Amino acid sequence: MFPINRPRRLRQTTQLRRMVRENTVTTSDLIYPLFAVPGEGIAKEVKSMPGVYQLSVDKIVAEAKEVYDLGIPSIILFGIPDNKDVEATGAWHDCGIVQKAATAVKEAVPELVIIADTCLCEYTSHGHCGYLEVGDLSGRVLNDPTLELLKKTAVSQAKAGADIIAPSGMMDGFVQAIRTGLDEAGFQDTPILSYAAKYASAYYGPFRDAAESPPQFGDRSTYQMDPANSQEALKEIELDIAEGADMLMIKPALAYMDIIWRVKEATNLPVAAYNVSGEYSMVKAAALNGWIDEQKVVMETLTGFKRSGADLILTYHAKDAARWLQD
Ligand code: PBG
Ligand code: ZN
């Protein structure tokens, strides 16, 4: 009790505070998302995400080198294809845009860990994350036919050079289907980072500009989780672990820190938090207006994810954070 106990004793100097600091963000924790588009020499800024670009493969390679030189160990690749169709051909074709980008990056920066986002929404004409009955405008994605397409996509991404497969469509059984597909194709050692608890969130808005992937009708609430639920997240996690997930992702991050914490407590697998597009855009908008100190706000947020139990953080701030950590 006071006056014997005075917690301020340990807050008196910078060095003392450093000594008792419980959590720190390091560059090793960061994963940087990149958007690949067809063409050459293209770097098109995403309107709702200042500082984030759609990049052609040549530019992706340059960016990957920069990321690696900053000490960031990993990137996650998304693709915007030339053509979209009901079968999501661009997702699983061996000449798909993510496949091309993965191969080029692997050749140029072999040590950089390439994560492939494995989903269909960027490649389907309707923008949903799976296969729909032709003519069905309800947005009720057919689960099991989608698994076959995801399996093909994952194998093709692994063949192209992806080191980690990250299925993000919230289909039931997708980890098992992809694990089986990878194993049959000889990729027993390719880990799966499952978007295990992914919520139907309005914070994905700017990403859908970046990836040109908004659903053309309906929404994703028949497959992504209800933001009101947390028990259900634990169920999703348990199933994905049983199906063979090597790492688990929670998404979004900021409004779901309780979920990050509960998942970390419930498993001993590495946990990743996705600091999503809307979270990024809000910080950027406030920073560009001079309303907040961007560096301090970003580092405080990233530290918060670590404190919540995240081992890894996918974030559009990764390059800036790596630079700030160097100084
Ligand atoms: C695709 C996917 C999305 C994001 C990652 N993978 C969008 C969505 O589900 O609509 C969102 C990432 C972000 O907002 O930064 N399944
Ligand atoms: Zn999707």
Side-chain angles (χ1 to χ4, degrees):
M1 275 302 160
F2 181 79
I4 309 261
N5 274 306
R6 289 178 181 271
R8 287 184 57 194
R9 283 186 198 121
L10 296 181
R11 296 179 200 142
Q12 293 181 82
T13 67
T14 306
Q15 299 312 324
L16 207 45
R17 288 193 293 274
R18 264 182 72 204
M19 289 169 69
V20 298
R21 185 159 296 142
E22 298 173 40
N23 294 284
T24 41
V25 178
T26 72
T27 306
S28 316
D29 305 326
L30 305 174
I31 298 168
Y32 189 57
L34 288 171
F35 298 94
V37 289
E40 234 195 282
I42 297 170
K44 190 173 163 224
E45 192 164 24
V46 180
K47 248 203 256 133
S48 53
M49 299 180 75
V52 172
Y53 297 80
Q54 295 180 334
L55 300 170
S56 51
V57 171
D58 54 317
K59 298 275 187 182
I60 290 253
V61 167
E63 188 77 354
K65 284 186 188 147
E66 198 183 319
V67 167
Y68 183 72
D69 288 342
L70 282 167
I72 297 167
S74 180
I75 57 169
I76 180 163
L77 288 176
F78 297 94
I80 297 104
D82 262 329
N83 290 301
K84 303 185 187 233
D85 57 32
V86 290
E87 309 255 84
T89 309
W92 46 263
H93 202 279
D94 286 342
C95 300
I97 184 69
V98 162
Q99 285 80 352
K100 280 187 191 156
T103 303
V105 171
K106 184 64 18 195
E107 196 189 315
V109 204
E111 282 182 41
L112 186 68
V113 176
I114 302 172
I115 304 176
D117 178 87
T118 305
C119 200
L120 307 183
C121 49
E122 291 123 65
Y123 311 93
T124 50
S125 35
H126 45 66
H128 277 287
C129 299
Y131 194 76
L132 291 178
E133 200 83 73
V134 179
D136 180 358
L137 295 184
S138 70
R140 216 167 297 124
V141 167
L142 299 178
N143 196 87
D144 299 7
T146 300
L147 297 182
E148 288 311 307
L149 296 178
L150 290 176
K151 204 163 147 176
K152 277 209 285 194
T153 304
V155 171
S156 150
Q157 291 170 333
K159 269 201 290 187
D163 299 296
I164 296 178
I165 298 300
S168 66
M170 290 300 282
M171 293 300 124
D172 294 333
F174 70 175
V175 173
Q176 183 184 64
I178 288 172
R179 184 72 272 155
T180 308
L182 290 172
D183 288 0
E184 282 168 2
F187 294 103
Q188 290 88 349
D189 291 330
T190 302
I192 297 176
L193 163 59
S194 177
Y195 285 64
K198 176 172 177 183
Y199 287 87
S201 172
Y203 284 98
Y204 306 151
F207 173 93
R208 292 174 190 174
D209 290 343
E212 299 176 12
S213 63
Q216 299 303 305
F217 46 82
D219 59 28
R220 304 209 201 285
S221 51
T222 68
Y223 41 104
Q224 297 180 349
M225 285 175 53
D226 183 336
N229 295 354
S230 53
Q231 287 297 121
E232 195 187 358
L234 297 180
K235 177 170 83 182
E236 285 284 0
I237 297 297
E238 196 182 316
L239 293 171
D240 283 11
I241 294 173
E243 290 176 29
D246 299 281
M247 297 188 273
L248 304 166
M249 195 195 301
I250 311 302
K251 181 181 173 196
L254 258 186
Y256 299 86
M257 282 194 173
D258 56 321
I259 307 297
I260 299 173
W261 173 256
R262 290 185 69 177
V263 168
K264 186 61 190 172
E265 293 273 283
T267 103
N268 37 32
L269 295 187
V271 173
Y274 201 137
N275 179 210
V276 300
S277 56
E279 298 169 358
Y280 172 86
S281 299
M282 291 193 305
V283 169
K284 278 288 179 189
L288 287 168
N289 271 297
W291 296 337
I292 56 167
D293 179 328
E294 181 176 4
Q295 177 172 347
K296 286 192 173 147
V297 165
V298 169
M299 293 314 293
E300 182 178 333
T301 304
L302 299 181
T303 304
F305 297 143
K306 291 297 298 283
R307 197 190 61 245
S308 305
D311 301 293
L312 296 165
I313 304 165
L314 297 95
T315 180
Y316 305 96
H317 298 291
K319 278 170 55 186
D320 287 334
R323 275 189 212 106
W324 296 327
L325 287 165
Q326 277 174 353
D327 308 336

